[in-house]
Amino acid sequence: MNAHVKNLRIADHPVDAQFTGRWSPRAFAAEAMSQADVLTLLEAARWAPSASNVQPWRFVYGLRGDAGFAAIADALVPFNRGWAEKAAALIVIASKTTTLKDEAEVPNPFHAFDTGAAWAQLALQAHLNGWAAHGMGGFDHAKAAANLNLPAGYAIHAIVAVGRQGNPANLHETLQARERPNDRLPLSETVRHASFA
Ligand SMILES: Cc1cc2nc3c(=O)[nH]c(=O)nc-3n(C[C@H](O)[C@H](O)[C@H](O)COP(=O)(O)O)c2cc1C
């Protein structure tokens, strides 16, 4: 529970509180993150499952105030930069799109799926440690690739803002009303028994 925003999410079936408790705020407190704080989140991502255990995920992080943070923030679309540059850390989530097979690099069809699993573990560990992680797809891919020296054969999927949740009053007023946990589709819209039909 956060002092600023009440989380009224209710699960339809019993799940651990971390799943409804994690959400994506945009208001961050001034508190800084240490390198150790960030590495703990990346350690959680490290233990994600992946096809043939190839671990295709790659991460680049910056801490507020350093050159890495500025390079990542520079790639965000203005809407996201407006709030995310107050985060304590920015983490770029990328993956290696190929894998070694019979001594040749071949496309890895699971690179994005596996990297999504790693991001979810990062976000949940952040929540468990009292941080908030907010994923963003709104960034300039070419700029991110150039700013961060992305090698060929790698794809950037998202940028994540991480920080201690802050007071929504510090957000631009258009964002204040959106600063609350949202809901989910019921399982009846996303789950079928035995067949997709
Ligand atoms: C891949 C991805 C891209 C997203 N892109 C943005 C974004 O560009 N800007 C933003 O404010 N939120 C973005 N979000 C946050 C989602 O809107 C949010 O996760 C979703 O509404 C569910 O809310 P919750 O995370 O609070 O549970 C993104 C989330 C994901 C996973």
Side-chain angles (χ1 to χ4, degrees):
M1 184 63 67
N2 182 273
H4 298 295
V5 182
K6 263 206 168 103
N7 185 341
L8 302 173
R9 285 173 165 173
I10 296 171
D12 291 339
H13 300 269
V15 293
D16 190 273
Q18 67 182 307
F19 297 110
T20 49
R22 183 218 58 81
W23 66 286
S24 304
R26 293 187 179 87
F28 293 111
E31 187 175 336
M33 289 186 87
S34 66
Q35 185 184 48
D37 292 329
V38 176
L39 292 183
T40 288
L41 308 188
L42 296 171
E43 180 73 20
R46 177 185 172 215
W47 291 99
S50 62
S52 304
N53 198 25
V54 300
Q55 304 158 61
W57 45 77
R58 300 290 185 273
F59 304 97
V60 171
Y61 72 89
L63 301 176
R64 193 178 57 236
D66 73 18
F69 187 99
I72 301 169
D74 179 56
L76 292 171
V77 296
F79 167 79
N80 284 329
R81 195 182 316 127
W83 56 267
E85 66 187 2
K86 298 192 179 70
L90 291 173
I91 305 175
V92 174
I93 303 191
S95 62
K96 183 172 185 272
T97 62
T98 60
T99 188
L100 200 60
K101 194 178 178 196
D102 302 329
E103 293 174 29
E105 288 291 333
V106 296
N108 174 5
F110 303 111
H111 73 94
F113 182 84
D114 293 343
T115 302
W119 134 250
Q121 295 198 182
L122 182 162
L124 286 169
Q125 186 66 57
H127 171 64
L128 293 174
N129 291 3
W131 301 102
H134 191 142
M136 294 170 283
F139 64 93
D140 181 327
H141 282 247
K143 200 181 246 188
N147 286 2
L148 304 168
N149 305 308
L150 185 76
Y154 290 75
I156 297 180
H157 301 286
I159 297 175
V160 183
V162 189
R164 212 63 96 182
Q165 198 183 337
N167 192 336
N170 297 332
L171 286 173
H172 189 275
E173 60 183 28
T174 55
L175 288 178
Q176 290 181 19
R178 295 165 63 180
E179 190 71 349
R180 63 170 68 98
N182 52 20
D183 206 353
R184 290 298 184 269
L185 298 170
L187 288 188
S188 59
E189 289 196 32
T190 59
V191 179
R192 292 285 181 273
H193 185 190
S195 163
F196 284 106

